[in-house]
Structure formats: structure tokens, C-alpha cells
Amino acid sequence: MTFVELGLRPELVRAVAGAGYTDPTLVQERAIPVVLEGRDLIACAQTGTGKTAAFLLPILQQLAGGKPLRHPRALVISPTRELAAQIGDMAKRYGMHLRLRSAVIFGGVGMEPQQRRLAGGIDLLVATPGRLLDHLGRRQASLGNVEIVVLDEADRMLDMGFLPDVRRILATLPATRQNLFFSATMPDEIEALIRRTTHAPVMVEVTRRATLVSTVEQVVHPVEMTRKKDLLQLLLQSGEMGQTLVFTRTKARANQLVRRLEQSGRRVVAIHGNKSQNARTRALAGFRTGAIDTLIATDIAARGLDVDGISHVVNFDLPNVPEDYVHRIGRTARAGKSGHAISLAAPEEHTQLAAIERLVGTPIRRQHIAGFTPATDAAERSPQRRSQAPHVVRSGRHRSGSGRATASPSGGGHTRKRFGRGSRPTRRV
Ligand code: AMP
């Protein structure tokens, strides 16, 4: 299947070719025809599958076929500022040969430039929920012309407490419209929202699971909770780790880690919800160019982060929700390249580790680092079997181009919950 065969107009085909895409990814192949048909869509797909283009390309095509109006005809609601900015950038890239106007609005920056942008007339609006409601409340935005709405990363909206805001926004939209929902998992609240909002939706489900297992080298280093910082410092000093993304459970732990790792000669920055928008944008830009080589993030801050060339993802703390492990390690090994996922697992994180292994469907290799084995593990292991090397991490490719996101698309999934009987979509693609 090619982009031409999917029914995209030449301007869009030229733009995706310019972006270096040769073939559509699985979610694009399945979702684009559905959106072009004007049907409602529910897509279970996470970052890295090419989901953004799966909704942007057919939306741009629909917009290009209509008359420009003052108020937006398409609206994309995104949970985070970073993701909204990325979607806005991609809309510009894919729409470069079309005469369409798009705008991105999110909180943490001044309202006035956004207000001017909204007043100037736009076709596609990408927005975070809170800031969009602010503009609607001041009558600086009107959603009365919206024909297509996208809810991106719907499960994250729920996790971040945005669902009431999203419901209020949806209530202001024209009743006759096309609804596109994208969510990596399907919690009850999202399922209920979908049931109430959509009409005869088509469901598309893809995961990167098979790709992750085959291209990310996963390892667990057992270590006491109190020794994690020392171990991470040792690993980072090994000289084998390139662009590294480290996940911590809390903002406080992210900050502590920055202070500690700065002493290891790495260029380290944290991104989390307490950082200003400017600080977050600067950190991401630095990480993209390589001026920063270690980014410490909480799950929410890293949501939707699209950075090529991450060679190592470190789970400094194991996630409580096992699906987050897959989200996290999906940041490395983009475009079918190899990558490394290193998990520092304390004895008290045994339950989370077991849940992750159940989800990925295979045991993850344990590698004991001399001097860091937890007392409980040491008692069970013979000294000969313990690794004497301070650190062994096979070096991977540290940079990857913007190639195909889904090297081996697979069916099946790891949604938290599947659709119940009452809400089963009419067609499964
Ligand atoms: P997403 O899942 O939307 O976050 O996209 C992940 C990455 O895949 C982005 O860097 C896109 O530029 C890239 N991408 C999207 N579609 C394709 C494609 N058909 N071929 C190659 N790369 C793609």
C-alpha cells in the first residue's frame, strides 16, 4: 500500500515523500481511508506508530477540499504542550504544499499572541484543553465551524485530570461532526466517553509491542533503592551511553537526580510539571541538538515526546502502570533502529517488575553489577555467578534518522481494557 493508493492528494504525497516516508505505517494504512470516508474512528495506537500523520493527512485533505472560514474547521485536542507543539509542527510540514492556516495554543505562555492568531482566521487548531477553555470563556475562539475533532492520547487526558475540560469543549462543538479518538489504552471512562460521543465508529488497533521486543535490548539491574543514584552515575560514566532519557516516579526525585548527576560530567536537565514552559522547551531543544545528553523526566512530562536518536532509556524507578514501561522504552529504537532499556529494580519493586514481564510476554534479562546486588538477592546467588565487570552495556547506534516508525507492525495489543459488548464498534479493521 502506498500513500497514493490511500487516496491522498498529490500535495500531501509530495510532503510525506519530502519528510522521508516511503510507505504508510499500519495505523496510517488503516485509519486514513476511514477518516477520508468521513466516519468516526477509534484508534488504539501509541506514540511511535505514526498516529499523528494518520489523522493529520486525511484532515488536511478534507480541509483543502473546502472553503476557508474564519473559525477552525478541524480541532485537535492534545494533553500536553509539547505534544500540541509537535502536532502543530507536523501539520505545517505535511501541509506545506497546501494553502491552509493552522495554529497551536497552549498554556504557560501569553494569551495575546494566541488571541491575535485566532482572530486572523485558521483552518486547523491544535490546543491543550485548559487554554482552549480560557479562550472560549473570553469569546476569543469559536468552535462553531468544527467539522472534525481529534482527541489525541485520550487516556493521558484522563490520567492528567482533563476529562471534565474535554467534555466541556466537546459540548460546544456542532452536533454533526466527525470524531477521531486516539488512545494507547482504553480505560472505562474513555470507553464511556467514546460511547456517548461517537456514531458507528470504526476501530483500528495497532501496537509497537513486537517491534519493541525485537529491537530494544532490555536489561534489569537489581539494586537497593538507596543505591540507585550511585549505580546510575556509574553507568553514565561508563562512556557507553549516548542520548539518555531517564524516568523517575516523582518530580522531587527528578530534581535530586539532576543535582547528583551533574557531578558525573553529563549535561543533565529535568523536565516535569513544575518547570516553566520556557524551561521545558529549552530542555527539549537542547536534548534534540545533543547539547544536553541526559534528560530526566516524569511519565507525564515525557508523554508524546518525539525525539529521534535516544540510545538509552533508563527506568530509574519502575512505573506503577506496566503499560508505561512500553511507552517509556518506545522512546528508543525508533525507526527500527536498536536501542537499550535499562531498569534499576529494587527488591520492593518486585511486583511492578513481574507485571511488566507479564505484559511484554517474556522475562527480562537480569544483570547483577558487582557491588550493587541487593542483600536479599546476594543471599540467593552464588558469588561465582555474579558479574565482576563494573558495567557491560553493548553500545548501540546513537543516532537514528526519521525512518519508518513501525518496523514490524503487529496486531494484538496491550490495552488496559477492551471494548465491552455494548460499545463494540461496527467494523474492526
Ligand atoms: P507518531 O506516532 O505520530 O508520534 O510518529 C512517530 C514518528 O514516526 C515521527 O517522527 C514521524 O515523523 C514518523 N513517521 C510517521 N509516519 C511515518 C511513515 N509513514 N514513515 C516513516 N516515518 C513516519
Side-chain angles (χ1 to χ4, degrees), residues 3 21-25 28 46-53 90 93-94 306 308 334 402-405:
F3 284 107
Y21 308 168
T22 48
D23 305 296
T25 64
Q28 291 162 6
Q46 55 181 271
T47 307
T49 54
K51 69 181 172 69
T52 314
M90 287 191 179
R93 196 204 286 185
Y94 303 144
D306 181 22
D308 278 339
R334 283 287 172 99
S402 64
R404 194 183 162 98

Side-chain angles (χ1 to χ4, degrees), residues 162-307:
F162 290 156
L163 226 48
D165 285 354
V166 168
R167 285 199 202 97
R168 285 173 58 203
I169 294 167
L170 292 178
T172 68
L173 301 180
T176 311
R177 59 166 197 266
Q178 192 177 357
N179 300 286
L180 315 180
F181 278 82
F182 283 77
S183 201
T185 60
M186 208 47 76
D188 287 343
E189 293 90 332
I190 296 299
E191 194 182 324
L193 179 69
I194 288 175
R195 203 166 34 226
R196 275 200 308 276
T197 313
T198 58
H199 170 70
V202 175
M203 185 176 173
V204 166
E205 188 174 349
V206 294
T207 70
R208 302 180 70 230
R209 203 168 130 185
T211 315
L212 289 177
V213 171
S214 58
T215 55
V216 180
E217 184 173 324
Q218 302 170 61
V219 66
V220 169
H221 295 313
V223 57
E224 293 289 357
M225 193 60 88
T226 52
R227 309 270 340 263
K228 283 189 174 186
K229 284 198 198 105
D230 296 332
L231 178 54
L232 180 58
Q233 188 167 10
L234 180 77
L235 297 178
L236 288 171
Q237 283 169 340
S238 70
E240 305 227 20
M241 293 172 70
Q243 290 298 102
T244 302
L245 177 59
V246 181
F247 284 93
T248 60
R249 200 166 30 78
T250 64
K251 299 168 201 169
R253 282 171 74 76
N255 287 339
Q256 286 162 12
L257 206 49
V258 170
R259 286 195 289 275
R260 174 62 182 271
L261 295 179
E262 274 167 352
Q263 300 159 14
S264 69
R266 302 275 299 195
R267 297 175 303 267
V268 192
V269 174
I271 54 165
H272 53 62
N274 288 357
K275 296 271 175 179
S276 73
Q277 182 55 32
N278 277 346
R280 286 158 69 160
T281 308
R282 261 200 321 275
L284 279 183
F287 194 56
R288 281 205 175 92
T289 60
I292 288 163
D293 53 32
T294 310
L295 192 64
I296 320 266
T298 54
D299 285 297
I300 284 181
R303 186 61 49 205
L305 217 175
D306 181 22
V307 183

